Amino acid sequence: MLEAATNLRRLLVVDPCDDCRRLLPGLRAAGWEVDSCELDNVGNRGCDVGLLRLQPRHLERRESVKELISRSGTEWIAVLNLDSLPLNEVGDFVSEWFFDFHTLPFDVARVQVTLGRAFGMARLRGRGSIHSDEHEHEHELLGESRDVRELRKLLAKFAPTESPVLIRGESGTGKELVARTLHRQSRRAIRPFVAINCGAMPEALIQSELFGHEKGAFTGAHQRKIGRFEQANGGTLFLDEVGDLPLELQANLLRVLQEKQIERVGGSQPVTVDVRVLAATHVDLEQAIRAGQFREDLYYRLNVLQVSTAPLRERNGDLALLANHFAHLYSVETGRRPRRFSDDALAAMAEHSWPGNVRELANRVRRGLVLAEGRQIEARDLGLERERGHTAHLPLVTLEAYKLGAERQAMCDALARHGDNLSVAARMLGISRPTFYRLLHKHQLR
Ligand SMILES: Nc1ncnc2c1ncn2[C@@H]1O[C@H](COP(=O)(O)OP(=O)(O)OP(=O)(O)O)[C@@H](O)[C@H]1O
Ligand SMILES: [Mg+2]
């Protein structure tokens, strides 16, 4: 059964023309499972190889085409009619995004060969993405800034202990990644890691989500449900946004942590659980305690050990490293060739304040990689152009103001390139380290 599933070769033909349709019976006979549809109706259809009959109207809708092609696990072949769409018009687009192309009329033997090669490549990439190093790095806490290096050291010490850890940090700074790292490095690593976001669920549901319920416990409880605590038995439970937990549930949680037993909703028997609890929050819990919104006793239970994730703007040198990491990761994922960042893009990134931290960086780089038309990812591909355009067009009336602007720009460029090594950054600008530090301070870049 499994064997049959892995040998299945699935072909999707998008916006087929008559020539394409005539091809299909032969392909089916050759063992392809063939499906066809319009570009707008692709939905969740999965396939190993896709054929897109490229037409002039697609050029106006390049974003939709790119989005389709960026999905992982599929190689795409363009089918062109050189009467309506000469290759010199679409050459760059096709060579950038497609595995191969065919011109009409079809040379059936050549089509078969190309499809076979594309299928092989799709499988290779699919397998690669599961086992490759990139995938392992995906869950690694990367960074060479002092903050991240110290965080890694701390996690290595905390992971083997059985203590709860409270993880604090701004949104998108890697709190969940920290929790996963703690789990992975603990003796519980082979057991489950279960996460629950306490803020994302209606109050009435959290209780049964956390502790489960018995059949008939309330209307709609048609069968017994095992809660997250039980699912995590032997492993780690990650309570995300624990500050959002309603007071009543805070009391329940406290009891469970003390007694190491849970009771399913509507149940009469306590169930013993062996779970290590990690909690994260972006709110100020001390403040919440003062405001009567968070129980102090629960706070002390959860906050046995504490780690903080630093905002990206404070992590010297990590920006370029992480940006390159994501560029590489997503190029593997989308099958596009890797791209570097233009100088302009690096400077724009260095100037941006990253309120959404690493998550924002990852999203912008993914977007940049998809939108980039040229050899490099530009600031506008990252959605950072306007911000920069804005500062660049500040009314710099005096020469002094121009000089100041240029000085700041030079510092940002140097940081973007060598933020991990300030001696090198200073040397690049031809100034001493103390002068470099003085300028960092002057422009409030750190
Ligand atoms: N140091 C890092 N190295 C590599 N990837 C990172 C790092 N920090 C964060 N990421 C990635 O950034 C994204 C956001 O991280 P994560 O979800 O852990 O943040 P969070 O603090 O839990 O965010 P939120 O507050 O929004 O829930 C994830 O894709 C994560 O893998
Ligand atoms: Mg999170």
Side-chain angles (χ1 to χ4, degrees):
M1 184 64 203
L2 202 67
E3 190 60 15
T6 38
N7 284 335
L8 198 66
R9 299 188 296 168
R10 295 166 309 161
L11 173 71
L12 180 65
V13 186
V14 175
D15 286 346
C17 58
D18 288 344
D19 286 284
C20 298
R21 288 196 193 90
R22 276 194 287 277
L23 200 63
L24 302 188
L27 293 177
R28 286 202 179 94
W32 287 91
E33 187 190 271
V34 183
D35 192 4
S36 65
C37 66
E38 305 298 310
L39 179 61
D40 291 323
N41 300 329
V42 174
N44 286 331
R45 284 183 169 88
C47 57
D48 303 300
V49 180
L51 271 188
L52 172 66
R53 169 72 171 86
L54 201 62
Q55 290 159 53
R57 64 190 156 90
H58 290 129
L59 299 183
E60 267 92 69
R61 303 189 49 202
R62 278 178 207 223
E63 295 318 315
S64 313
V65 175
K66 287 181 195 173
E67 197 192 302
L68 174 70
I69 294 178
S70 311
R71 298 181 189 179
S72 49
T74 303
E75 295 295 339
W76 285 87
I77 296 166
V79 176
L80 305 168
N81 181 347
L82 291 186
D83 295 338
S84 64
L85 206 57
L87 202 51
N88 58 11
E89 259 181 48
V90 288
D92 282 349
F93 185 57
V94 169
S95 66
E96 174 69 40
W97 288 89
F98 290 81
F99 176 77
D100 203 344
F101 70 96
H102 262 274
T103 52
L104 291 174
F106 280 121
D107 169 348
V108 179
R110 196 182 155 243
V111 171
Q112 302 261 19
V113 172
T114 312
L115 289 181
R117 281 183 49 227
F119 175 76
M121 186 58 88
R123 278 294 152 94
L124 207 62
R125 281 193 204 272
R127 199 166 303 147
S129 65
I130 291 167
H131 295 296
S132 72
D133 289 350
E134 280 87 10
H135 226 75
E136 277 162 23
H137 284 314
E138 201 175 331
H139 301 295
E140 231 172 77
L141 199 72
L142 302 175
E144 288 308 322
S145 60
R146 196 191 308 143
D147 282 324
V148 174
R149 280 205 303 249
E150 278 175 8
L151 179 62
R152 274 198 298 261
K153 250 195 251 162
L154 207 56
L155 296 182
K157 284 187 191 151
F158 287 178
T161 74
E162 286 289 301
S163 303
V165 181
L166 182 65
I167 307 161
R168 323 182 73 148
E170 284 180 22
S171 165
T173 46
K175 296 187 292 298
E176 179 156 350
L177 196 58
V178 164
R180 288 182 187 277
T181 306
L182 283 168
H183 174 71
R184 213 180 43 227
Q185 296 181 356
S186 76
R187 66 168 182 79
R188 296 172 176 264
I190 51 164
R191 307 289 299 167
F193 174 89
V194 177
I196 178 168
N197 187 332
C198 307
M201 223 170 275
E203 197 172 329
L205 269 186
I206 307 179
Q207 173 102 356
S208 98
E209 251 334 291
L210 276 175
F211 308 120
H213 59 70
E214 293 293 349
K215 185 174 173 178
F218 45 81
T219 333
H222 298 303
Q223 46 190 317
R224 168 189 281 178
K225 177 189 163 91
I226 298 299
R228 305 284 170 106
F229 259 97
E230 275 184 88
Q231 286 171 17
N233 202 7
T236 305
L237 180 67
F238 175 49
L239 300 171
D240 205 355
E241 299 309 345
V242 75
D244 292 341
L245 207 61
L247 272 169
E248 192 190 331
L249 274 156
Q250 291 176 23
N252 290 355
L253 178 61
L254 180 69
R255 199 165 338 110
V256 169
L257 295 180
Q258 283 166 341
E259 294 169 8
K260 302 193 184 335
Q261 288 187 328
I262 58 136
E263 229 164 83
R264 302 190 191 116
V265 178
S268 48
Q269 289 295 316
V271 181
T272 302
V273 286
D274 164 29
V275 168
R276 181 187 195 183
V277 172
L278 307 175
T281 176
H282 73 278
V283 302
D284 182 347
L285 285 183
E286 291 82 2
Q287 164 72 28
I289 292 170
R290 284 194 295 276
Q293 287 155 353
F294 202 83
R295 291 181 67 116
E296 193 167 8
D297 42 12
L298 178 60
Y299 172 77
Y300 285 117
R301 272 272 159 187
L302 295 174
N303 190 18
V304 177
L305 302 172
Q306 191 181 122
V307 296
S308 303
T309 50
L312 183 56
R313 63 186 168 279
E314 289 174 12
R315 295 187 204 168
N316 233 332
D318 283 354
L319 182 61
L321 182 148
L322 285 170
N324 285 324
H325 161 69
F326 289 124
H328 185 66
L329 186 74
Y330 296 137
S331 74
V332 171
E333 192 184 295
T334 59
R336 291 203 84 183
R337 67 178 150 77
R339 284 180 153 71
R340 302 184 70 84
F341 297 93
S342 72
D343 286 351
D344 200 42
L346 286 170
M349 285 196 283
E351 277 193 357
H352 186 60
S353 62
W354 301 105
N357 293 296
V358 185
R359 185 191 305 288
E360 179 187 353
L361 177 65
N363 290 342
R364 283 191 190 273
V365 171
R366 182 197 286 267
R367 170 197 145 117
L369 207 63
V370 171
L371 293 184
E373 297 279 358
R375 295 165 53 89
Q376 296 184 316
I377 302 176
E378 300 293 338
R380 68 166 175 279
D381 301 326
L382 299 166
L384 292 174
E385 190 188 38
R386 268 192 32 216
E387 210 169 318
R388 262 178 63 69
H390 194 66
T391 46
H393 293 115
L394 275 180
L396 299 174
V397 277
T398 63
L399 179 62
E400 200 45 47
Y402 271 106
K403 279 186 187 161
L404 206 64
E407 191 176 77
R408 186 184 156 84
Q409 185 65 57
M411 293 296 290
C412 289
D413 288 352
L415 281 174
R417 251 163 279 180
H418 302 292
D420 53 343
N421 189 336
L422 297 188
S423 302
V424 177
R427 214 176 307 137
M428 168 187 149
L429 295 179
I431 56 180
S432 68
R433 249 176 93 97
T435 307
F436 193 85
Y437 279 114
R438 188 177 54 72
L439 292 177
L440 280 182
H441 187 70
K442 174 176 166 188
H443 293 284
Q444 300 192 335
L445 289 171
R446 277 291 178 273

